[in-house]
Amino acid sequence: MSLGKILIAEDDNDINHLISDVLTREGYSVTQAFSGTEAKLYWNSETFDLLLCDLMLPGLTGEELVAEITAKQNAAIIVISAKNTVMDKVDLLKLGASDYMTKPFDIEELVARVEVQLRKANVASLGDADDALVWNGLSLSEDRYSAQVDGVDVRLTAREFGILQLLLSNPSKVFTKENIFASVWGETEFIDENTVNVHMSNIRGKLGKVAPDREFVETVWGIGFKMKN
């Protein structure tokens, strides 16, 4: 049984294979990517517990990859890079990386840091039941910034998550489009109601793929949206 699924994004062939071999021997399931673009494709098509990411990657850079992932979800990410200034580290940690190691690195230290990040993720997972907003099989974990329908992960953008979080905070209340826009976008001036409609359509589509037999969000015509009883 695998201890966890890890994606390695590293364009140096030797380093990538070294990390992969060591982590595989430790009992992890490892997927190797040699460019940022390839790593993004893997990340969007599978579920991983941890990303090990170089910064100077061909295609999509490591910074861009981290930014795209953390904009949509909380994720365990260890950056491994030759960039070693304090600002490099601070910028990536602010961007959402969990940890930062500089090259050259000690492989045993890397294994220890992987264990630490996955242990943190497991602790957070155990706490999901306490922080989750639950409705008709839909579970929204505010701490982990994740969503599930009947235990199946649903990948949401930050705005989609914010909309569901608002609706689930008071599932019997009807929220107007103005309410949703002001809360999720943080804007006081409501200009285009189609923006909310598009995001709501995307939410329904994603939830419907997992549970086509159910509707989770109800349109209250002329007013707005609420969770469907």
Side-chain angles (χ1 to χ4, degrees), residues 3-219:
L3 297 176
K5 288 186 65 177
I6 298 174
L7 175 62
I8 302 171
E10 168 62 68
D11 65 323
D12 185 296
N13 190 69
D14 292 337
I15 294 176
N16 196 318
H17 285 297
L18 170 64
I19 297 173
S20 176
D21 290 346
V22 171
L23 291 179
T24 299
R25 285 200 300 270
E26 292 290 327
Y28 298 101
S29 174
V30 177
T31 298
Q32 296 172 266
F34 296 87
S35 72
T37 306
E38 184 184 15
K40 178 183 175 181
L41 290 173
Y42 279 127
W43 188 271
N44 289 337
S45 61
E46 301 179 38
T47 300
F48 292 95
D49 299 301
L50 175 71
L51 170 67
L52 297 176
C53 183
D54 185 22
L55 294 182
M56 292 179 282
L57 294 170
L60 202 67
T61 68
E63 289 92 342
E64 292 169 335
L65 179 61
V66 171
E68 287 200 20
I69 291 173
T70 57
K72 299 177 181 178
Q73 64 183 117
N74 281 340
I77 301 173
I78 300 177
V79 172
I80 307 172
S81 175
K83 294 183 178 182
N84 59 6
T85 70
V86 172
M87 284 312 302
D88 288 326
K89 298 175 183 178
V90 169
D91 288 345
L92 264 296
L93 293 172
K94 284 184 176 180
L95 201 58
S98 312
D99 200 356
Y100 194 110
M101 294 186 69
T102 55
K103 297 177 180 178
F105 59 89
D106 183 272
I107 192 65
E108 291 184 4
E109 181 183 354
L110 174 60
V111 171
R113 293 197 186 202
V114 166
E115 291 174 355
V116 168
Q117 292 304 321
L118 292 179
R119 188 159 58 242
K120 287 181 179 179
N122 287 335
V123 169
S125 178
L126 290 173
D128 275 356
D130 296 327
D131 66 55
L133 296 168
V134 180
W135 185 263
N136 194 22
L138 168 64
S139 176
L140 208 67
S141 172
E142 295 177 300
D143 282 355
R144 295 190 70 201
Y145 211 70
S146 64
Q148 292 186 329
V149 173
D150 298 335
V152 178
D153 289 333
V154 179
R155 291 188 179 275
L156 300 173
T157 67
R159 292 268 163 78
E160 291 163 0
F161 185 93
I163 291 171
L164 278 180
Q165 186 179 36
L166 178 65
L167 297 182
L168 281 167
S169 68
N170 194 342
S172 61
K173 177 181 176 179
V174 179
F175 291 89
T176 67
K177 293 174 185 178
E178 289 86 349
N179 293 152
I180 294 171
F181 192 79
S183 177
V184 177
W185 275 260
E187 300 286 345
T188 56
E189 184 178 0
F190 183 59
I191 300 173
D192 182 13
E193 68 175 22
N194 192 52
T195 299
V196 175
N197 290 339
V198 169
H199 282 76
M200 197 62 73
S201 177
N202 290 339
I203 290 170
R204 283 171 163 153
K206 290 180 178 181
L207 298 180
K209 285 183 178 179
V210 180
D213 60 323
R214 259 169 291 164
E215 284 188 53
F216 295 91
V217 179
E218 177 182 354
T219 299

